Structure formats: structure tokens, C-alpha cells
Amino acid sequence: MKLALPLTLALMGILLASCTTPGKSYAGKHPELSAAHRQILASGKMPAGDAVAGLTHDEVRIAMNGAPATFDKINGEEAWIYLRKNTVVSDIEPPHPSPGSTLDHESFSPMPGTDLETDGMVKTTIFFQGGRATRAEVSLEKR
């Protein structure tokens, strides 16, 4: 019995450590990062605009979980282009049939808001000058 508590605590530590993403881990080790940069790294989401300004190539790779789909030059700036599926949650409620209706209830999800659908791609373009990000553009590309 005396071994059960230390073993339980060790397992809990392993589980908690496994919940940390590379971005969260990196942000935790770099207190010199701005709050905005720590949030980007921890969330893995690049906001449009200049909040990304100053991030290095490595920090962008960590935040975006890997290399971009495309490397390009746009108007003389280095551009990294990431494409991700845009997953949306459907919150359409099933229709309520009138008495005597032949509407098929089985074709609808019994719990609204639980259906995941892919609605095109999210295109994130991150621009760099001199090895540092200057801005990001985010757009939805419909299918």
C-alpha cells in the first residue's frame, strides 16, 4: 500500500507532462517572449496582422507544428504558406415533423452541435524579413 501513493503521483506527473504541447513547452522556457508570442506558441494559432512580428523561423515552425506547405517570395518578402482543413461544428437542429409526417428522424444527429464538417481550407501566410516574421495573413479558402 505504501508504494501505491508514489506510483500514483508518478503516473499523474507523466500524464500532465504529456499534455504539454511543444509550443507551450517552448514558451515556458522563454520568459523573454511577449505575452502575445507566448499565446501564439501555446495555442498554435496565428492571428492575422502584426502580432507575429518578431517571431523567428523556428518559433513559427513550433507554433504551426511543422514546416509550411509552400515557401515563396511575395513582393520581395519571404512567405511561408500553411494550409489546414477548416473544421466546423454543425449546430443545425433536426426538424420537428408534424403529425402524420414521413420525415426520417434517423438521418439526423440526435445531439445538435456534435457533427464535424470540413469547410474548405484555412490559408495562413507568414511574411519574413531578415529571419523574423513581420505579419500574417489568414484567409478561408472555400471548397
Side-chain angles (χ1 to χ4, degrees), residues 32-113:
E32 73 279 3
L33 292 170
S34 70
H37 287 176
R38 281 195 303 278
Q39 177 62 31
I40 290 167
L41 285 157
S43 70
K45 295 180 182 174
M46 288 287 172
D50 62 0
V52 301
L55 288 174
T56 66
H57 288 113
D58 287 340
E59 290 166 344
V60 169
R61 266 192 210 96
I62 291 167
M64 296 298 287
N65 292 316
T70 306
F71 296 93
D72 206 348
K73 277 256 189 220
I74 300 174
N75 296 328
E77 288 184 285
E78 178 183 1
W80 288 13
I81 302 168
Y82 287 86
L83 296 171
R84 303 276 194 253
K85 289 180 184 175
N86 184 41
T87 304
V88 294
V89 177
S90 172
D91 59 357
I92 299 171
E93 291 200 33
H96 301 285
S98 57
S101 172
T102 59
L103 186 60
D104 178 14
H105 288 291
E106 303 304 315
S107 64
F108 292 95
S109 171
M111 295 179 61

